[in-house]
Amino acid sequence: MSKIFKMSFASIYPMYVKKVEKKDRTKDELDQVIYWLTGYDEAGLQKQIDDGVDMETFFAEVPQLNENVSLIKGVICGYRVEDIEDPLMQKIRYMDKLVDELAKGKKMEKILRK
């Protein structure tokens, strides 16, 4: 089992915020990306943070993974996201990929695949 599975989402989220804000994007845009991917709303996301859930639980409790996640393609952390075999690791890398695209200045309509 990967170490990241047991990391708390609450410990990773501030790193995502810092990454996107450093590139002149906003926490609201980050949240929008996470809502799109996971189906969490503001209250649901905040509850996951407040409860200190690990990444495994965060994704196990996702209300509705976006039906268009298969449209997320490309390399993140040296791996092609579409080729990752472990379902949980793939979901984590999907989120990493979306956050990365946000930080790189991609337009929201391109990040939130339709």
Side-chain angles (χ1 to χ4, degrees), residues 9-25:
F9 178 75
S11 71
I12 293 171
Y13 181 72
M15 292 187 265
Y16 284 156
V17 172
K18 189 174 180 182
K19 180 176 185 167
V20 301
E21 287 181 343
K22 220 167 47 177
K23 300 290 186 170
D24 295 324
R25 300 305 287 260

Side-chain angles (χ1 to χ4, degrees), residues 2-3 9 30 32-33 49 51 69-71 78 92 105 109:
S2 179
K3 193 169 70 171
F9 178 75
L30 170 64
Q32 186 181 348
V33 167
I49 293 168
D51 290 352
V69 294
S70 62
L71 300 177
I92 292 169
E109 52 272 16

Side-chain angles (χ1 to χ4, degrees), residues 67-109:
E67 61 188 16
N68 290 330
V69 294
S70 62
L71 300 177
I72 302 171
K73 299 195 183 317
V75 177
I76 190 77
C77 301
Y79 298 96
R80 294 205 68 77
V81 291
E82 60 270 30
D83 295 340
I84 296 172
E85 292 190 13
D86 183 284
L88 176 57
M89 182 59 80
Q90 187 175 47
K91 291 171 191 160
I92 292 169
R93 295 303 180 207
Y94 281 151
M95 188 158 59
D96 288 343
K97 180 72 176 157
L98 297 177
V99 171
D100 201 47
E101 289 176 354
L102 183 64
K104 287 183 174 170
K106 258 194 162 181
K107 290 183 173 11
M108 284 304 266
E109 52 272 16

